[in-house]
Amino acid sequence: MFDDVRIRVDWRASVDLTGQVLLYLTAPLAFPLLVAVYYGESVLPFVAAILVSLAGAGVCRVLADPDENLGPREAFLAVAVIWLLVAAVGAVPFVVAGAGNIAHPLNALFESMSGLTTTGATVILDFDVHSQSVLMWRQVIQWLGGLGILILATAVLSELGVGGAQLMESETQTRDVNKLTPRISETARLIWGLYVGITLSAIAVLFALGAVYDPQMDLYNAVAHAFTSVATAGFSPQPESVGAFHPAIQWAIIPFMVLGSTSFVLLYYFFNGDPWRLLKNEEFHFYLGALGVLSGIVAVVLLSDGGTEFGVEASVRHAVFNVASIVTTTGYASTDFDLWVPAAKYALFMGMFIGGMVGSTTCSIKSLRWLVALKAFRRNLFTSVHPEAVRPIRISGRPVDEGTIRDIYAYILLSLVIFAALAVFIVVDTQRGAPGVFTEFEAMGAAASTFLNIGPAFGEAGPYGSYAEFPAMTRAVMVVLMWIGRIEIIPVLVLFTKAFWTS
């Protein structure tokens, strides 16, 4: 009887991996520490975070057993716990710095989880009270979150067959996407190198444009915005986001958001002499098509709106930039789109549910799932008329397994159910705590934005607003949903099943 109910997860293996990640976290914490030294600011927030991270790594080392095997269950546990603990450590500098409303532990955890999950939703009310080093830490933790999800998608989730990674073999025309090289560690290094290379390119482009067009885009801002554009994350040290900079800089950021939300497996082949895998890829076409159609709709709406006096170039730029920002789940803003007419805002709201490509830094449901679901729906219409027909679903010429199609339907349905439940909770909780402040549409926008890791929404949570106005309970639930949504639901929810632990 005891054997039937004993724990069957080698949790010590999960603890071992968690300890290694906490140890490695001290390296990126050194960067804002150096920024603090350069600007003559206090280094205590980052020293404290480094000590907490080292202490956590030490505890894990005591509890861990490196000889245990990291199987699928252990990987699920490690993924969920690592994301949660790194967010907790990431909140330490905000609390220790003691400036502004993010010094409150709940707000600090919200800001850190929003950063690590590359959501970009902020609770900051006054940017001026925060040091350059603390604001840079917000950028660094988002860059780490973008890198982390890439390694997770290619090296861990692809092993487990969850989160859409089982689609990547069809989508990239690659067998065993976790084996671009024979070893996972080498694959991770390739992804790391590509990610760093694109980031350095973004820094160079933004700094050069700043020297020509806008001195405000200095090296600090070039680094800060390169980190969060490639990570499709959205934090900015500027309260006006990218709207604080020259139009040329806004145009330049768009391709880096698009690159960050493109499959890094396909980018790897693109930059290594095989560009056609990307250029002929169906998901890539669908993703660019979604960007183009939504951008066109928003541009037409803005141009036809007599109350919006942007002019042709500015209307097109703001339409393309903000649609790209929302669809890629980056969350930047080139202007306060909350002031736009409802038709334009509804188009942006729809874009929240699309997402970029599988195997990218982006969040949301992702384009490939929608492409497969639409193809499956079209097939269902055909087989309703021709029931004897056998029509496999193909992506870039390769068939998609029927089990995978069922998984996609289930994932989309689960995502929409969680979004709807969160929206209802926000409506009820905000009406209880702040009646009349939030409309139902604003609650839906905030629910989609946090669960799907978009960032800005509408109303108080708009691109130039803050989530600080939401009740504490709502913010706490948002923290949990950002965590669940970023690692694609299953690795978290499976931990709450009895079968995971005992069967």
Side-chain angles (χ1 to χ4, degrees):
M1 178 67 71
F2 178 77
D3 288 341
D4 292 336
V5 297
R6 68 185 178 89
I7 299 298
R8 297 179 182 272
V9 178
D10 293 331
W11 59 270
R12 292 181 183 274
S14 304
V15 170
D16 181 58
L17 179 59
T18 302
Q20 293 180 46
V21 171
L22 290 176
L23 181 62
Y24 295 147
L25 184 59
T26 58
L29 277 164
F31 181 67
L33 188 151
L34 294 175
V35 173
V37 171
Y38 178 80
Y39 285 103
E41 299 167 350
S42 173
V43 299
L44 181 60
F46 310 106
V47 171
I50 289 172
L51 292 176
V52 169
S53 191
L54 288 174
V59 171
C60 289
R61 184 178 181 86
V62 171
L63 297 176
D65 184 354
D67 295 329
E68 295 284 358
N69 294 321
L70 190 71
R73 299 193 198 199
E74 292 74 27
F76 277 126
L77 180 60
V79 164
V81 172
I82 286 170
W83 232 258
L84 194 59
L85 290 182
V86 172
V89 174
V92 171
F94 303 137
V95 175
V96 175
N101 62 317
I102 60 170
H104 186 282
L106 176 58
N107 286 340
L109 183 59
F110 184 102
E111 198 78 7
S112 180
M113 183 64 79
S114 178
L116 186 66
T117 58
T118 68
T119 301
T122 185
V123 291
I124 290 181
L125 294 172
D126 188 353
F127 283 77
D128 292 337
V129 303
H130 299 288
S131 65
Q132 298 284 76
S133 54
V134 166
L135 291 177
M136 181 58 77
W137 172 238
R138 294 170 75 240
Q139 310 302 109
V140 171
I141 198 171
Q142 291 210 305
W143 190 80
L144 289 175
L147 176 63
I149 203 66
L150 285 176
I151 302 303
L152 184 67
T154 56
V156 178
L157 292 184
S158 56
E159 288 274 332
L160 305 182
V162 301
Q166 71 270 42
L167 294 172
M168 291 174 66
E169 290 187 17
S170 296
E171 186 253 347
T172 62
Q173 301 178 23
T174 305
R175 291 191 179 276
D176 298 326
V177 297
N178 57 307
K179 297 177 181 177
L180 289 174
T181 65
R183 299 177 59 187
I184 287 177
S185 60
E186 293 177 5
T187 298
R189 280 196 292 270
L190 286 176
I191 296 297
W192 158 269
L194 184 57
Y195 189 67
V196 170
I198 295 175
T199 303
L200 291 176
S201 299
I203 293 172
V205 168
L206 295 179
F207 183 62
L209 288 174
V212 175
Y213 294 106
D214 190 343
Q216 188 177 7
M217 181 56 77
D218 54 12
L219 183 59
Y220 177 92
N221 274 305
V223 171
H225 289 88
F227 279 175
T228 53
S229 57
V230 175
T232 60
F235 276 161
S236 171
Q238 305 297 325
E240 302 88 5
S241 188
V242 179
F245 302 105
H246 190 277
I249 293 172
Q250 296 174 19
W251 280 115
I253 286 176
I254 294 172
F256 288 106
M257 291 192 293
V258 173
L259 273 177
S261 56
T262 301
S263 167
F264 271 62
V265 175
L266 292 174
L267 287 178
Y268 167 81
Y269 287 112
F270 183 88
F271 291 115
N272 282 273
D274 190 4
W276 294 110
R277 291 199 190 218
L278 173 64
L279 299 178
K280 292 183 177 180
N281 182 264
E282 279 193 77
E283 188 199 7
F284 187 59
H285 298 164
F286 178 87
Y287 161 57
L288 292 183
L291 287 175
V293 169
L294 279 178
S295 297
I297 292 172
V298 173
V300 169
V301 171
L302 293 180
L303 287 169
S304 61
D305 176 29
T308 304
E309 299 178 353
F310 286 138
V312 176
E313 184 277 333
S315 294
V316 173
R317 169 166 42 87
H318 290 313
V320 173
F321 185 97
N322 290 285
V323 166
S325 179
I326 292 294
V327 172
T328 64
T329 73
T330 304
Y332 280 149
S334 60
T335 186
D336 189 357
F337 56 71
D338 191 49
L339 302 177
W340 291 356
V341 293
K345 291 195 289 186
Y346 294 153
L348 292 180
F349 177 71
M350 291 176 59
M352 289 181 174
F353 295 87
I354 298 175
M357 297 178 68
V358 169
S360 69
T361 64
T362 194
C363 316
S364 193
I365 294 174
K366 294 191 173 62
S367 296
L368 186 57
R369 288 192 178 99
W370 289 117
L371 177 60
V372 173
L374 289 172
K375 284 194 169 193
F377 180 69
R378 186 175 64 181
R379 179 183 66 177
N380 291 344
L381 293 178
F382 181 83
T383 55
S384 296
V385 180
H386 305 283
E388 74 286 354
V390 177
R391 296 188 65 176
I393 302 301
R394 297 181 182 274
I395 297 294
S396 298
R398 299 186 66 173
V400 179
D401 180 73
E402 292 298 320
T404 299
I405 296 172
R406 290 191 294 272
D407 289 344
I408 288 172
Y409 277 137
Y411 185 91
I412 293 175
L413 177 61
L414 182 59
S415 297
L416 296 178
V417 167
I418 294 175
F419 151 72
L422 179 58
V424 171
F425 175 84
I426 292 174
V427 169
V428 173
D429 195 46
T430 53
Q431 290 302 313
R432 178 180 59 84
V437 176
F438 303 94
T439 68
E440 286 77 6
F441 177 68
E442 290 168 0
M444 291 172 63
S449 187
T450 49
F451 173 57
L452 301 175
N453 309 112
I454 309 297
F458 309 100
E460 294 292 336
Y464 293 169
S466 170
Y467 283 75
E469 301 301 324
F470 286 89
M473 181 61 71
T474 295
R475 278 178 278 134
V477 171
M478 286 176 172
V479 169
V480 175
L481 269 295
M482 285 189 284
W483 172 50
I484 293 174
R486 172 72 276 196
I487 49 181
E488 305 216 335
I489 305 174
I490 302 301
V492 175
L493 295 189
V494 74
L495 302 183
F496 296 96
T497 64
K498 181 180 178 182
F500 173 82
W501 297 97
T502 61
S503 66

